[in-house]
Amino acid sequence: MKLLFSRSIAAFAALLMAVPAQADALIDNINGITLDEHGDVVHFTGLLMTTDGRVTRLLGRKDKRPEKLDWRTDMRGKVMLPGFVDAHGHIMDLGFRSMELDLSDTHSLAEAQAKIAAYAEANPERTWILGGGWDQEKWGLGRFPTAAELDAVAGDRPIALTRIDSHAVWVNSAALKAAGITPATKAPPGGRIENGILTDAARLMIMQAVPQPLARERDLAFIQAQQMLLSKGITATADMRTTLDDWLVFRRIADKNLLRIRIISYADSIQTANRAAGGSPSPWLYDDKLKLGGVKLFADGALGSRGACLKAPYADAPKQSGQCLLTDAQLKNLMSRAAMDGFQVAVHAIGDKANAEALDAIEAVSDAYKGDRRWRIEHAQIVDPADLPRFARGSIIASMQPIHALSDRTMAEARLGPGRLAGAYAWHSMLGNKVPLAFGSDYPNDDFNPFHGWVAGFTRADGTGQPFGGWQPQERITREEAWRAYTMGGAYAAFAEDRIGRLAPGLWADFIIVDADPLLATAGDLWNMQVEQTWVGGKMMWERK
Ligand SMILES: [Zn+2]
């Protein structure tokens, strides 16, 4: 692991292009496309910047190039776009998940066993083997796998593998032993322990026994995630639910001069925000690459597991309507405490009732906390159409994930029934109500390729045009509107529109080089668009090999 780590850092450092300090640099002969402050498309052929990475001018074809330049490069007509801003992601989860064993592509128990054995052999330094994605139904097994079937392939170290739906974990005897679970152990209420399978509430018994990752493992996970995001053209991201450990990783990486992406952190609690940043948001640190700006709160759970808090019962579970996690008073108190210290508040709300409660709370506290607060509702997935105008009235940002409309649609129809989809994944209605929209992906829980989200935004379909005509197509927005939400929208949502989100004088030269014009491409071609280079602050941070 140590070797791997230093090698990946060396390779990574070599990527950075040396640009002499100060004065002007010109990137010329580009097919540059950006949006202006009104969201209108602007074309340019040259980008002039300071050598420390801020845009000074966009040049048209006929504009004279300065004669005295410290540095210039010719892009040979390639397409340049502003970098994407993912308004909602989880950096460390992305990194750790990429390092874990993924069984989602296995079709039989035997295939999974072979993959587990190979992973164990390739990763001798891992004290626990962690991963997931298995599905015994896809394997055609007709039963759950057992501890003995794991012992047989890699029995020496503890193994814990989460089922595809996250509701069960499959472990071996070494993991049971490490967690102190014997045949006499009783499962907690709401859970089951059976032959190496622990479901729901019982899963925690295993998860608590997994050792916390070491600092160098966390750093490695971060570097992996950063590379993955840069490779898809994401130059800035909100990190939702930053823990104190996560914050220390970001700082450690930045102190080593390895932070290449911009991060706006929303702490997982007011305590974390205060411990990490002090009694108010941190300043922009490391040349505007890192800031702890806010706090993330949770009003409910997820729709798939029926944890989303709904005004009426689930269509496919008439006795359930989900669970709002905080009372009105609790939500208001937490918001006040965060707002009092100047932290921005981002509330996770999926169900229509959770959204209404978040809106109630914002309306109640915004009398006391005036000014430009930019209250955010994360996901805003199922909103009662009657509540939509309330977003605009409170200048509340709807932080939404267009890709969810594709990955959730069948499930959402089952959970809600056809009658309640009017305010679901309703970004057209949001814009129609003049609600500021910020797009993201909620990685690693969904596909973070921003081109996929972009296409989903204006087609309500995937790159192959499925479902035909788009799902709930009345909620499509235009190609430019979707692009804006994925760039300027995310910047605005993070109080960063004076720094990032488009290419304009005074803003950072955060851009990507791609292989085609995204405004002329078919939806299918846009879906498959490849990023060739990713630049942050005027430096090339990633390049396709
Ligand atoms: Zn999330």
Side-chain angles (χ1 to χ4, degrees), residues 88 90 296 379 442:
H88 185 124
H90 306 278
K296 166 101 178 276
H379 310 304
D442 198 16

